[in-house]
Amino acid sequence: MHPHLHTKDNIACEEVMTALEECHARGFLWKSLGMCSDAKNQVTLCLRAERLKRIALNREAAKAKREKIKKTWADIDENS
């Protein structure tokens, strides 16, 4: 199950999400026969790529924050 699709984090996937929604709008039979599978796979790949980008950015931010905290504690230990 995907998170909410139309968010600021998924703007790059807007086109493939719209294609999936259009496919689903064609009706239940169209969807149930697997006619939307390619669009769904494209959405999944796009959302995964966006998630991996967010993970990398968050990891870098956490690393920078950890370094800042280490430096602060080193300064405190040095001056104590």
Side-chain angles (χ1 to χ4, degrees), residues 51-61:
R51 182 176 50 85
L52 292 176
K53 287 179 193 174
R54 268 194 324 274
I55 287 171
L57 290 173
N58 288 342
R59 185 174 291 131
E60 291 300 317

Side-chain angles (χ1 to χ4, degrees), residues 13-73:
C13 299
E14 192 74 32
E15 188 176 308
V16 291
M17 288 188 291
T18 303
L20 179 63
E21 287 175 355
E22 288 172 359
C23 186
H24 283 178
R26 291 182 177 174
F28 173 75
L29 192 55
W30 188 267
K31 204 172 25 173
S32 64
L33 292 175
M35 300 297 193
C36 298
S37 295
D38 290 336
K40 174 117 173 72
N41 289 337
Q42 290 175 354
V43 169
T44 301
L45 292 175
C46 185
L47 291 176
R48 182 175 191 273
E50 291 300 311
R51 182 176 50 85
L52 292 176
K53 287 179 193 174
R54 268 194 324 274
I55 287 171
L57 290 173
N58 288 342
R59 185 174 291 131
E60 291 300 317
K63 187 185 272 188
K65 187 175 180 180
R66 259 193 322 273
E67 290 300 318
K68 182 179 176 185
I69 290 170
K70 277 185 182 178
K71 183 179 179 190
T72 303
W73 278 109

